[in-house]
Amino acid sequence: MSRHSTRLGGPPPYAENSPEHIERPTVSHDPGYQSLRHARRRFGVRATAVSVGGFLTYVLLSSFVPALMNQSLAGHLTLGLALGLGQFVIMGVIAWRYLVHTRTHVTPIARGLRGLARQQEAVEQVRAAEQAPAAPRGPFDPRGGDFRTW
């Protein structure tokens, strides 16, 4: 029979005080994780605003001020063409800044969180090993003393 309730609003599949329900500290509760999420989100919002703003400005200028966009800068190079090529520059700068930001802000926090997660996993393994019953030793188990190597 299933441990899970099949009725809407039925009893929970586990008791409130059962070992399955005990909250253990996780990496997501760590302040470093919260600062990691904040740093990534802040950069993402800024990068998105700059790139979308640049594209939107280009499209609006092309649509509503074509005389300005058709002004010649040098030879066949117009202001519209220069601004269009400038979008590639903007995207290159954003990609470069993303790499720098990740290397200086995100990576150190992520490394610290990896170490914390490894420590938590080690603690969980020790707890599981302490709670697990010892396996019965058979006659040919090397830990039992009756094991012969020949």
Side-chain angles (χ1 to χ4, degrees):
M1 180 166 226
S2 174
R3 300 180 315 143
H4 303 287
S5 174
T6 56
R7 290 185 3 202
L8 247 172
Y14 50 81
E16 292 284 330
N17 296 329
S18 70
E20 297 170 2
H21 184 68
I22 296 174
E23 286 192 30
R24 293 185 176 92
T26 60
V27 174
S28 63
H29 290 88
D30 189 80
Y33 180 75
Q34 299 302 327
S35 67
L36 176 71
R37 289 184 61 203
H38 180 70
R40 291 189 66 170
R41 187 179 303 125
R42 186 176 57 232
F43 182 83
V45 167
R46 288 178 184 170
T48 302
V50 168
S51 61
V52 169
F55 293 141
L56 186 61
T57 301
Y58 179 75
V59 169
L60 290 175
L61 286 174
S62 296
S63 297
F64 296 110
V65 194
L68 176 69
M69 298 297 273
N70 285 330
Q71 284 185 356
S72 179
L73 296 178
H76 292 290
L77 180 66
T78 63
L79 181 62
L81 184 58
L83 289 176
L85 293 173
Q87 290 181 5
F88 289 105
V89 174
I90 288 173
M91 294 312 297
V93 168
I94 289 174
W96 170 70
R97 285 303 305 160
Y98 174 75
L99 292 174
V100 169
H101 172 78
T102 302
R103 197 176 308 128
T104 57
H105 293 92
V106 175
T107 302
I109 297 171
R111 283 186 181 149
L113 289 174
R114 265 191 227 116
L116 178 65
R118 285 188 191 119
Q119 289 174 354
Q120 287 178 351
E121 286 175 8
V123 168
E124 290 294 323
Q125 288 176 354
V126 167
R127 284 183 187 160
E130 288 174 353
Q131 293 175 357
R137 295 182 179 179
F140 297 107
D141 189 359
R143 296 173 293 164
D146 293 334
F147 184 72
R148 296 190 178 105
T149 57
W150 69 86

